[in-house]
Amino acid sequence: MERQPLILQILNILSAVLLAIAACLVFFYAPLELVMGNVQKIFYFHVANAWVGMLGFVAAAVAGIAYLRTHDMKWDILEMAAVEISLVFFLIAIVTGSIWAYPAWGTWWTWDPRLTTAAILEMIYLAYLLLRQGIEDPERRARFGAVYTLIGGLSVPLTFLSIRLFRTIHPALIGTASSAAQGGFDMSAPMKLTFFFSLFTFSLIFVVLLWHRIRLGRLAEKVEQLKLNVMQ
Amino acid sequence: MTPDTTNFMLAGYAVIFSVMAIYIASLILRWRNLKRDLIILQEMQAKK
């Protein structure tokens, strides 16, 4: 396992620069929301993290399908990488949502359909990591992972659509919310720019981290293989 | 009147940057450990 490819090195720097710009846009460019105050600025990275989290869970399900079709371990490495990164980003989305909820709704947590489905989604993939560790045989582990992420992936659209299907206090940004949804806000042009810039930045960070995690997975596979050779 | 919720905003961003930094540090640490294991295993294999 050699030096990082040049493209990856460039993407490392680019994602760090874009993250710094996104943070500057949030703090110094996006206007103050008058009803909620500064806490509303959590929104930009909160949604971006949730987006990247869901994107990774879907990518893991696609990698699961690819593994079941080809039995190529590269798909298992991709699947594992996508789940791990998404767990981190989705955890950030849940925690920042809770921090935002306290001044906005007067509570850190409520068993609202969106919050509940998001918590279940996180638990499903946390269980995936724990259960994988209990399987020694790499092929059995990969097969289990593929089926699990495929079934687990069904909870992603449920979480995404929960604010549109059920009575909820969580605002919806895209599409029409349930008629009972509360707490939405209209975005001005600077807010939209900051939001979409953050969304793009976190998508790029996701790709960069995925690349790094895949390299780590390949190195781990190599070490595991060598271990078996030495022990024989 | 707009409420002062700056502390909540700062707490939110502290969580975001801290969790991301911890994850990146874990990737670096795991990479270094695996590289060390790889070198040891390659030496053991060469001796065999």
Side-chain angles (χ1 to χ4, degrees):
Chain A
M1 288 286 150
E2 315 68 35
R3 280 168 57 90
Q4 291 177 21
L6 182 65
I7 300 173
L8 184 55
Q9 290 179 40
I10 293 168
L11 287 176
N12 286 339
I13 296 164
L14 185 65
S15 52
V17 170
L18 289 185
L19 183 64
I21 296 171
C24 287
L25 286 176
V26 168
F27 293 122
F28 308 116
Y29 177 70
L32 180 71
E33 202 278 331
L34 293 176
V35 178
M36 289 180 270
N38 271 327
V39 75
Q40 180 273 336
K41 287 176 184 264
I42 284 180
F43 153 79
Y44 303 104
F45 281 20
H46 165 75
V47 178
N49 275 281
W51 151 252
V52 165
M54 288 195 193
L55 182 74
F57 293 140
V58 171
V62 173
I65 294 168
Y67 176 79
L68 291 173
R69 286 174 65 105
T70 61
H71 291 274
D72 189 334
M73 288 304 277
K74 75 177 178 195
W75 295 114
D76 182 58
I77 291 171
L78 171 62
E79 173 199 295
M80 173 70 192
V83 168
E84 190 183 283
I85 297 164
S86 291
L87 267 173
V88 173
F89 282 113
F90 213 67
L91 176 71
I92 292 174
I94 290 172
V95 175
T96 52
S98 177
I99 292 169
W100 186 7
Y102 190 75
W105 300 339
T107 179
W108 296 105
W109 186 265
T110 174
W111 293 105
D112 173 86
R114 166 51 73 87
L115 276 67
T116 306
T117 50
I120 291 170
L121 187 64
E122 184 79 359
M123 299 286 183
I124 285 171
Y125 286 97
L126 198 61
Y128 162 90
L129 282 192
L130 297 174
L131 291 169
R132 261 186 82 103
Q133 284 179 352
I135 304 171
E136 293 259 331
D137 177 29
E139 277 191 25
R140 251 190 82 210
R141 190 169 57 211
R143 205 165 50 245
F144 159 81
V147 175
Y148 193 105
T149 48
L150 199 53
I151 297 168
L154 296 174
S155 59
V156 176
L158 182 69
T159 303
F160 182 75
L161 294 171
S162 59
I163 47 176
R164 290 153 185 85
L165 298 175
F166 306 112
R167 188 182 170 83
T168 176
I169 57 170
H170 193 286
L173 271 175
I174 305 157
T176 315
S178 151
S179 56
Q182 302 166 25
F185 56 91
D186 291 325
M187 283 196 283
S188 61
M191 282 177 161
K192 278 182 185 158
L193 176 75
T194 309
F195 171 64
F196 286 112
F197 191 87
S198 302
L199 216 57
F200 174 76
T201 300
F202 274 87
S203 302
L204 182 71
I205 291 171
F206 173 77
V207 171
V208 172
L209 285 177
L210 190 68
W211 194 338
H212 281 290
R213 186 59 186 79
I214 288 168
R215 279 166 52 83
L216 186 75
R218 291 213 307 254
L219 183 61
E221 192 186 32
K222 196 174 171 182
V223 168
E224 200 172 354
Q225 197 61 50
L226 205 57
K227 225 178 249 176
L228 287 172
N229 289 348
V230 169
M231 281 175 184
Q232 276 169 7
Chain B
M1 204 178 88
T2 304
D4 182 11
T5 52
T6 308
N7 287 344
F8 289 98
M9 177 193 74
L10 293 175
Y13 278 92
V15 167
I16 292 166
F17 289 116
S18 305
V19 174
M20 281 174 69
I22 290 168
Y23 182 65
I24 291 167
S26 95
L27 282 178
I28 294 168
L29 208 68
R30 282 184 284 171
W31 179 267
R32 282 186 187 163
N33 288 343
L34 281 170
K35 284 289 260 188
R36 202 182 48 210
D37 289 353
L38 186 71
I39 291 165
I40 293 168
L41 286 165
Q42 279 170 341
E43 282 172 4
M44 284 170 75
Q45 199 179 34
K47 280 179 191 168
K48 253 174 94 174

